[in-house]
Amino acid sequence: MSLSVAVAGASGYAGGELLRILADHPEFTVTTVTAFSNAGQPLIALQPHLRSLAHLTLVETTAANLAGHDVVFLALPHGKSGEITAQLADDTLVIDCGADHRLTSESDWAAFYGGEYFGAWTYGMPELVLADGSRQRESIVGATRIAVPGCNVTAISLGLAPGIRAGVLEPEDIVAVLAVGPSGAGKTLKVNLLASEILGSSYAYGVGGTHRHTPEIRQNLTAAGGVGVTVSFTPMLVPMSRGILATSTARLAPGVSAADVRSAFEIAYADEPFVHLLPAGEYPRTADTVGANTALIGLAVDEVSRRVTTITAIDNLVKGTAGAAIQSANIALGLPEQAGLTTNGVAP
């Protein structure tokens, strides 16, 4: 029996990607799509690539319009989902692709986001290795409220957590620099995201520990077993519509060899359908993950400087957002985890 689905924020990039994947999901049927300023317009006018959903019309984003569905996906700006979800039935599976329910620390929320703190939900990163050796996947089973991780957070966490968990990487002095496509900033018109501003150029933003994903990265690496985690995280906007390439480095723990490091990652991801460690000496391209719910990781160990570098590529709109949301929904509902999702990218 097909499950009824509502997608809030369906006119944006994340909402559109949710709908693209959901359109071919064997167990879900999208029955309601909502928006704020675009309410009343045909979905196809805002998402012209979604031809199979041309029969849908955007309605206003309200709790009343989202109620009564089996699954509700929220692709809303931070601060918007908390007030709506409080009005939805407890037995409805609600998956928030925004930031409102990611952070377990109210003080971190106040420092990096501000406004009302709505509390933390079950965290939707199934592959995150935890300090006790389990995976976050186990907590998702049967959950009815799930918070999807930030896209930058996904790339850094998946690229470092196995090393932290195994004790082969030191949790202090972690540095990550990310090349990020502008679709991660959403569809809202902003001068700095105009093609004439970003084509042929690149620039850093959220510099000096100010990016809102910083506490979430610390939260994940602490959950993986890190004590006293410190992260210097700098995203760089680059002229590609989607994708993240995260270059993350950490110090080798004393007495640890390159073989020890590689073994930790091989063990962590050996059976993961969507996280793939590449052979030694190979490093991923963002182009290899476009359209796929896949994280590709390359690993290098510099035994002279005693630092490890991981290169992680994801599609920020799939593994970084919509794919993670649907993967988590599958797990929560007891469906096959890979249902509706692909590991194959789009090339060229």
Side-chain angles (χ1 to χ4, degrees), residues 43 99-100 235:
L43 175 67
D100 285 15

Side-chain angles (χ1 to χ4, degrees), residues 55-104:
H55 59 286
L56 296 173
T57 297
L58 293 160
V59 298
E60 188 179 356
T61 301
T62 64
N65 285 332
L66 296 173
H69 297 83
D70 296 309
V71 187
V72 175
F73 291 94
L74 303 173
L76 304 174
H78 80 267
K80 296 294 186 181
S81 62
E83 57 195 53
I84 290 173
T85 54
Q87 303 174 61
L88 298 178
D90 291 341
D91 60 352
T92 298
L93 174 57
V94 184
I95 301 183
D96 189 4
C97 294
D100 285 15
H101 303 284
R102 294 171 183 164
L103 296 181
T104 58

